[in-house]
Amino acid sequence: LRKEIMKRSFAIGDIHGCVCTFRHLIYCVLKVRRGDTVYLLGDYIDRGPDSKGVIDEIIALQSAGHDIKPILGNHEDLLLKAVDSVGDDSYGAWMLNGGKATLRSYGVSLPEDIPAAHLEFLRNLPPCRMTRRHIMVHAGLDFRQDNPLTETSREFMLWERRSMFDSDKLAGRKLVTGHTIMDLDSIRGSLKSDHIRLDNGCFYGRNHPDKGNLVALELNSGELIVQQYKG
């Protein structure tokens, strides 16, 4: 009998425009198959060299039949607010947080000139995804609430960095987040807890000895995969 190939599930931290790093991780290191599931933890754009390329790649993977499940990050939220002119200076806030690099990658000067298909893709991203064993959210959950799984606000899921954590409110699941950049030792240490952190600041590149990698976790085995920056 032909041996059944085990289905794998990966979570990948903040990509921030590092499309060459993302492609190498997906195709050469993880060698993602059609039966695998890949959760992306938000922040696909800004700061890095090719935000457009990252969104193109995610859409292409989904179109090719891969089970890619992205969630919304705070940088996508900044872009959408800039497009919709939400707040007094939403455009300025986005510019201060890496928006120039994103506009440059699209070859446009205004956020509303980004292709409608890409903006629609970002608008449809959920802020959270949940499995039987894990909760994927960009920033975190509000453990001040009686049930953070259902009562955390969208804004909190995208932005907060509060350290308050209560594993008793996770219903036996582990929380997996990006958003806050951690060194590799801290990321490895988080694997032993109920709050796994996967953002190593890929956009920093090779200039930081303990940062600048794109990090993935195989959710079933607990294996951590660290991909060095490739652009």
Side-chain angles (χ1 to χ4, degrees):
L1 288 174
R2 184 175 158 188
K3 188 175 179 181
E4 185 178 349
I5 298 174
M6 178 181 282
K7 176 174 161 48
R8 302 176 299 169
S9 291
F10 297 99
I12 298 176
D14 305 30
I15 302 168
H16 274 304
C18 302
V19 69
C20 294
T21 314
F22 178 56
R23 285 180 183 140
H24 189 81
L25 176 64
I26 288 287
Y27 296 113
C28 302
V29 180
L30 303 182
K31 298 180 179 176
V32 170
R33 305 182 292 253
R34 290 278 172 85
D36 297 333
T37 298
V38 180
Y39 297 94
L40 304 176
L41 299 180
D43 282 6
Y44 314 111
I45 63 169
D46 298 347
R47 294 181 173 157
D50 192 356
S51 296
K52 176 183 181 295
V54 173
I55 303 302
D56 279 334
E57 193 64 50
I58 296 170
I59 292 172
L61 282 162
Q62 290 179 327
S63 298
H66 290 285
D67 188 18
I68 309 295
K69 296 184 182 299
I71 61 173
L72 187 68
N74 64 303
H75 281 260
E76 289 78 47
D77 188 48
L78 280 168
L79 164 56
L80 293 173
K81 285 177 176 174
V83 171
D84 297 336
S85 299
V86 175
D88 293 335
D89 190 12
S90 51
Y91 176 79
W94 184 46
M95 288 296 100
L96 288 173
N97 284 279
K100 288 180 184 177
T102 297
L103 290 177
R104 195 180 308 120
S105 75
Y106 281 97
V108 300
S109 56
L110 295 171
E112 53 265 38
D113 292 332
I114 289 172
H118 279 206
L119 293 176
E120 188 66 17
F121 168 80
L122 298 180
R123 289 189 194 281
N124 287 328
L125 293 176
C128 179
R129 292 185 187 269
M130 194 180 305
T131 71
R132 189 172 54 84
R133 296 172 55 202
H134 297 90
I135 302 156
M136 267 65 65
V137 62
H138 180 64
L141 295 175
D142 188 355
F143 289 96
R144 299 169 302 175
Q145 306 299 326
D146 291 335
N147 187 348
L149 303 183
T150 59
E151 297 172 7
T152 299
S153 70
R154 177 182 180 276
E155 201 78 0
F156 197 107
M157 288 182 181
L158 299 180
W159 286 94
E160 286 296 332
R161 301 186 195 271
R162 299 180 194 185
S163 58
M164 180 181 174
F165 183 79
D166 185 350
S167 59
D168 291 339
K169 294 183 176 181
L170 290 177
R173 297 178 174 89
K174 289 181 180 288
L175 179 64
V176 185
T177 66
H179 188 52
T180 299
I181 298 170
M182 314 284 285
D183 60 49
L184 287 175
D185 283 345
S186 298
I187 288 173
R188 290 189 179 101
S190 77
L191 301 182
K192 302 169 187 174
S193 74
D194 288 331
H195 184 184
I196 297 169
R197 320 287 286 268
L198 294 181
D199 184 8
N200 189 235
C202 185
F203 65 90
Y204 280 133
R206 297 171 183 258
N207 299 321
H208 291 255
D210 58 353
K211 296 185 178 73
N213 303 286
L214 186 58
V215 177
L217 176 69
E218 206 290 300
L219 295 168
N220 298 317
S221 67
E223 178 190 2
L224 192 73
I225 301 99
V226 178
Q227 173 58 55
Q228 191 177 52
Y229 176 82
K230 288 184 172 292

